[in-house]
Amino acid sequence: MRTIKFLLQKEFRQIFRNKALLPMILVLPIIQLVILPLAADYEVKNISIAIVDNDHSPYSRKLISTITASGYFKLTGYTASFKQADQLIEKDQADLIIEIPAGFERNLVRENTEKLFIAVNAINGVKAGLGGAYLNRIIADFNTDTRLEWIQPGRYNAVPQIEIAPSNWFNPFMNYRFFMVPGILAVLVTMVGGFMCALNIVKEKEVGTIEQINVTPIRKFHFILGKLIPFWVIGMFVFTVGLFVVARLIYGIVPLGSIVLLYGFLGVYLVALLGFGLLISTYSDTQQQAMSIAFFFIMIFMLMSGLFTPVDSMPGWAKMIAQFNPVTYFIEVMRMIVLKGSGFSDIKYHLLKIVAFAVVLNTWAVMNYKKTS
Amino acid sequence: MSAVTFEHITKTYDKGKVLAVNDVSFDVKKGELFGLIGADGAGKSTIFRILTTLLLPDSGRAAVDGYDIVKNYKIIRGSVGYMPGRFSLYQDLTIEENLNFFATVFGTTIKENYELIRDIYVQIEPFKKRRAGQLSGGMKQKLALCCALIHKPSVLFLDEPTTGVDSVSRKEFWEMLQRLKEQNITILVSTPYMDEAVLCERIALIQEGQLLSIDTPAAIIRSFPSELYAVKADNMHKLLKDARAFEGTASCYAFGEFLHLTFKNENNGSAVFLSYLSGRDTTGIEIRRIEPTIEDCFIQLMPEGQTENKNGGAE
């Protein structure tokens, strides 16, 4: 116990003295948490649209004003021919072209039907997909509105109608920040906890201090604990600041579920993660090597954890990887507890898996640590 | 009882490809100042790392204070002091914090063994609030010695303590070692500097993982088999070539500003050599018989092929 105490004392003293590392651990994650959710926005606005109106009728003007009034589109071209509009796309001044055929109004009124042509610039897939969908929706609404003007509904509808009224649970306004912020916080805690810990241990190897330590009565077990505990504490600290300062004050996110449960899960998760950090450190001799390995895993952790794209929509092999990614579970649990207010019974399988991660990673790391030194 | 026993130890690296220590045996008596002398890569550090339980030998057995390095490594780690060749203290901690840390690690305090380190510590005490990373080479080395001594070790292992240290600090360092010896601490020190060898009580000469000789410095010098001459001339390069060509030469190598020569004919080898030189218009010849140094003994003890290499390098 005494050994652990002065090892911790030494470790914290070194961490707080490192003027380059301290801001990296404490300040950078907070800045990232403030900035990243603002950028990682799924809502697409300011889609440039070019309109080719061959009809010049009241109805076509009405359609155009409906589109521009929606707030999603920015009219960047109103051209006489499709060719001109096409050039706007070439110059990257328009993302979408909508062509209104001549006789639009006439056909609509007389034959009750008309076709519109939409061309989408699909270089940016997200923008194209969402822009096209928005436009379809607006035109559909326009369609309904126009019909309502003409047809006086009788006692019974001539055509049976199904109207869909969706309701978003747990995030009624579909505010993407509500699910991005907990997810990003999970990734940040992962980086600070796991990778900083790995770098710290490798530093002792690189500088050679581990050589001196090994010729002392300090037991390996104590030495490892002395390394893991500080980063466990730092992980907890960063999480607390992220949750109660950034998420609450800036984004107004108040966890619905139990804080104790959240911290309990985080505690176990950090143990698993520190085991991972320790494992990295046993496989590298220099901080540069450790950094390269860490970078590889950061990318996987970020992109294959369901942070940006749902795991369910990934191909089978990617789902497999996501299942072996502890971050996946932490992000899921974060979102469940924070947004949905899930209780222990909802996350118990997640917890079980993280416990398994903790046991496997730490055992592997300690075994490998003993072998190499 | 011996403080250190080292019996038929062999150690290889890279799964047997590199032979670092080849069947080396020696003994260090209690309270002795014992030197391992050898060039870089001779295997000195490997021997230290085996004795400090950092490495396991492939074969052979070794003991420190009677404790086996494999079975009782925990006891050894608690009772020896080790100063690695590379500065291995925490650069971001101050002198005082480093010393305190290592004292606590060994379950003692600075106060308890202050007497032992006082002579050394007073020299760096004015800078005790300075971080170890910002110290000069000599001060770092003193701090490392303090940290290795703070738990009053029974055996002190110093791996090349004077490498990269200026000559004044080197001299000071050896004086400190002499004083520590009076405290009855066994000291095992390694060095690539031959001039430091005579400061040890006994030395072991090592080359390429093999022990060449092991004795007191005086005995090693006495055992030099032939008369040694130092020769100088105006044109040293020509002299070296001539000396090599001379059939009576037993060995010949550049040594500082002189050539060191031994002759096959013990009685009048030098006289024959002089008359040989006079026929080859050499000017400014100076020749005298000298006492061999440890370095001469070392060169003489090296296997034939390696001597050639050494001379080639010195030319």
Side-chain angles (χ1 to χ4, degrees):
Chain A
M1 224 26 241
R2 209 183 57 95
T3 320
I4 299 273
K5 205 186 116 204
F6 69 71
L7 277 174
L8 288 182
Q9 200 182 0
K10 173 211 133 222
E11 217 53 62
F12 275 113
R13 190 172 274 160
Q14 286 183 299
I15 291 170
F16 282 108
R17 195 163 284 179
N18 194 330
K19 291 283 175 283
L21 192 67
L22 198 62
M24 256 171 77
I25 295 177
L26 301 181
V27 183
L28 290 192
I30 305 303
I31 295 178
Q32 282 178 306
L33 191 59
V34 172
I35 293 173
L36 285 181
L38 296 176
D41 190 339
Y42 282 157
E43 263 179 52
V44 177
K45 283 177 187 141
N46 298 329
I47 305 165
S48 307
I49 189 166
I51 295 178
V52 187
D53 188 356
N54 295 321
D55 196 41
H56 300 288
S57 62
Y59 271 105
S60 73
R61 273 195 291 280
K62 199 173 162 198
L63 175 63
I64 293 166
S65 68
T66 313
I67 291 170
T68 48
S70 69
Y72 293 110
F73 297 100
K74 201 170 63 187
L75 190 64
T76 52
Y78 187 78
T79 56
S81 71
F82 185 80
K83 217 172 191 169
Q84 283 169 299
D86 191 44
Q87 267 173 0
L88 287 178
I89 285 206
E90 294 278 342
K91 285 189 217 146
D92 213 19
Q93 283 169 1
D95 300 314
L96 280 171
I97 302 173
I98 177 163
E99 187 176 19
I100 302 170
F104 173 71
E105 189 182 51
R106 193 189 60 214
N107 288 343
L108 201 61
V109 174
R110 228 188 253 167
E111 290 166 31
N112 240 339
T113 171
E114 183 51 304
K115 289 194 169 69
L116 284 170
F117 176 69
I118 300 172
V120 183
N121 177 8
I123 282 189
N124 185 332
V126 177
K127 217 173 180 181
L130 284 172
Y134 289 161
L135 199 55
N136 271 327
R137 184 68 201 262
I138 290 165
I139 293 167
D141 283 351
F142 175 79
N143 196 16
T144 324
D145 287 350
T146 330
R147 277 162 180 276
L148 280 176
E149 273 177 32
W150 298 338
I151 305 163
Q152 289 299 320
R155 194 158 197 172
Y156 301 102
N157 269 333
V159 188
Q161 256 187 336
I162 297 173
E163 203 177 331
I164 301 164
S167 152
N168 303 313
W169 280 32
F170 311 121
N171 187 358
F173 300 106
M174 282 276 270
N175 187 337
Y176 71 96
R177 283 174 200 167
F178 282 8
F179 71 89
M180 280 315 279
V181 171
I184 291 175
L185 183 57
V187 171
L188 290 178
V189 168
T190 306
M191 288 191 207
V192 169
F195 300 130
M196 290 294 170
C197 167
L199 284 182
N200 189 292
I201 298 174
V202 174
K203 188 182 165 199
E204 297 247 359
K205 271 197 206 175
E206 197 176 48
V207 179
T209 42
I210 207 157
E211 183 105 321
Q212 192 87 59
I213 291 288
N214 281 346
V215 194
T216 64
I218 294 181
R219 290 170 55 200
K220 292 225 165 82
F221 174 68
H222 287 153
F223 182 73
I224 292 175
L225 271 186
K227 285 287 175 199
L228 299 193
I229 292 171
F231 288 92
W232 192 85
V233 174
I234 288 171
M236 284 281 184
F237 177 79
V238 168
F239 183 81
T240 306
V241 174
L243 189 66
F244 288 100
V245 179
V246 181
R248 175 164 293 186
L249 296 186
I250 297 182
Y251 297 106
I253 299 170
V254 180
L256 278 181
S258 154
I259 298 281
V260 177
L261 186 62
L262 195 56
Y263 271 84
F265 189 87
L266 173 67
V268 180
Y269 175 74
L270 278 173
V271 172
L273 208 64
L274 292 170
F276 183 66
L278 183 64
L279 189 62
I280 292 182
S281 76
T282 60
Y283 280 106
S284 33
D285 294 318
T286 63
Q287 294 187 68
Q288 196 184 17
Q289 287 171 2
M291 207 59 208
S292 314
I293 301 175
F295 193 73
F296 172 76
F297 280 104
I298 285 173
M299 292 308 285
I300 292 181
F301 282 0
M302 292 270 284
L303 298 177
M304 308 197 85
S305 60
L307 174 61
F308 297 111
T309 45
V311 175
D312 293 330
S313 65
M314 292 178 190
W317 57 267
K319 270 187 209 168
M320 279 290 286
I321 296 176
Q323 278 189 3
F324 286 100
N325 181 352
V327 186
T328 311
Y329 300 103
F330 188 41
I331 290 180
E332 255 180 63
V333 167
M334 277 287 282
R335 287 175 177 166
M336 282 166 82
I337 295 180
V338 172
L339 298 180
K340 200 173 170 185
S342 300
F344 177 75
S345 57
D346 300 313
I347 63 154
K348 60 176 184 251
Y349 291 111
H350 293 80
L351 189 65
L352 212 64
K353 281 172 191 163
I354 290 296
V355 168
F357 270 112
V359 172
V360 170
L361 288 171
N362 279 291
T363 315
W364 183 1
V366 168
M367 272 165 55
N368 201 50
Y369 184 87
K370 284 198 170 136
K371 206 170 64 194
T372 50
S373 53
Chain B
M1 193 182 72
S2 305
V4 174
T5 52
F6 207 72
E7 288 172 10
H8 302 290
I9 295 268
T10 299
K11 172 75 193 173
T12 56
Y13 291 116
D14 287 347
K15 298 191 178 93
K17 270 183 243 153
V18 182
L19 184 63
V21 174
N22 186 7
D23 193 19
V24 169
S25 305
F26 62 85
D27 261 305
V28 181
K29 293 188 205 74
K30 260 211 153 51
E32 196 172 27
L33 175 53
F34 188 89
L36 284 176
I37 318 291
D40 293 337
K44 305 187 296 288
S45 293
T46 304
I47 292 175
F48 273 88
R49 290 169 60 83
I50 288 171
L51 282 171
T52 49
T53 73
L54 289 172
L55 275 183
L56 290 176
D58 294 355
S59 63
R61 53 175 296 281
V64 177
D65 271 338
Y67 297 111
D68 187 85
I69 54 147
V70 183
K71 273 183 245 138
N72 301 317
Y73 72 94
K74 277 188 186 158
I75 304 174
I76 295 176
R77 287 182 183 184
S79 67
V80 303
Y82 173 47
M83 184 173 152
R86 197 171 136 210
F87 183 72
S88 303
L89 300 177
Y90 290 100
Q91 313 243 7
D92 43 2
L93 294 184
T94 64
I95 288 185
E96 207 179 15
E97 285 164 350
N98 265 304
L99 198 55
N100 243 323
F101 176 73
F102 282 99
T104 325
V105 164
F106 284 101
T108 178
T109 56
I110 297 183
K111 228 176 179 176
E112 210 169 302
N113 293 316
Y114 187 73
E115 272 311 298
L116 197 61
I117 60 164
R118 194 186 54 204
D119 285 347
I120 312 161
Y121 190 56
V122 287
Q123 301 177 46
I124 51 173
E125 205 168 10
F127 314 101
K128 67 182 178 186
K129 298 274 179 228
R130 196 181 286 183
R131 294 194 192 164
Q134 291 155 358
L135 297 174
S136 70
M139 288 211 280
K140 272 184 184 164
Q141 172 215 43
K142 279 170 195 153
L143 174 61
L145 186 59
C146 283
C147 288
L149 276 171
I150 193 63
H151 59 291
K152 203 168 195 324
S154 56
V155 185
L156 187 58
F157 293 97
L158 307 171
D159 192 3
E160 301 205 4
T162 53
T163 300
V165 175
D166 67 85
S167 55
V168 178
S169 298
R170 264 172 64 189
K171 195 163 158 285
E172 261 178 29
F173 192 81
W174 278 94
E175 282 162 10
M176 285 190 278
L177 292 191
Q178 301 293 346
R179 280 199 296 275
L180 285 177
K181 213 186 80 64
E182 287 158 19
Q183 308 258 11
N184 204 25
I185 293 177
T186 311
I187 303 172
L188 208 68
V189 59
S190 75
T191 176
Y193 301 120
M194 303 288 168
D195 56 331
E196 289 178 345
V198 287
L199 301 168
C200 302
E201 285 176 284
R202 280 199 312 143
I203 53 174
L205 302 180
I206 307 175
Q207 174 71 15
E208 310 225 318
Q210 259 167 331
L211 220 55
L212 299 178
S213 173
I214 174 165
D215 214 326
T216 62
I220 286 182
I221 288 170
R222 264 201 311 278
S223 69
F224 194 78
S226 46
E227 292 177 354
L228 184 70
Y229 292 89
V231 191
K232 199 179 156 184
D234 290 339
N235 187 344
M236 286 301 283
H237 185 64
K238 181 171 181 298
L239 181 69
L240 183 68
K241 278 210 312 218
D242 289 344
R244 289 245 168 99
F246 179 56
E247 55 182 13
T249 306
S251 73
C252 162
Y253 46 87
F255 196 103
E257 51 176 337
F258 290 94
L259 284 189
H260 279 193
L261 282 165
T262 56
F263 300 108
K264 286 175 187 158
N265 187 335
E266 280 292 311
N267 300 323
N268 59 351
S270 59
V272 178
F273 181 59
L274 272 178
S275 61
Y276 160 80
L277 283 184
S278 61
R280 313 184 125 253
D281 58 63
T282 313
T283 52
I285 300 173
E286 214 178 286
I287 184 163
R288 59 191 158 87
R289 195 173 158 204
I290 52 162
E291 274 293 304
T293 63
I294 293 289
E295 189 162 355
D296 293 307
C297 300
F298 197 96
I299 293 169
Q300 182 265 326
L301 285 166
M302 275 195 296
E304 273 310 312
Q306 291 166 23
T307 322
E308 286 302 319
N309 288 340
K310 173 115 186 161
N311 286 347
E315 234 174 81

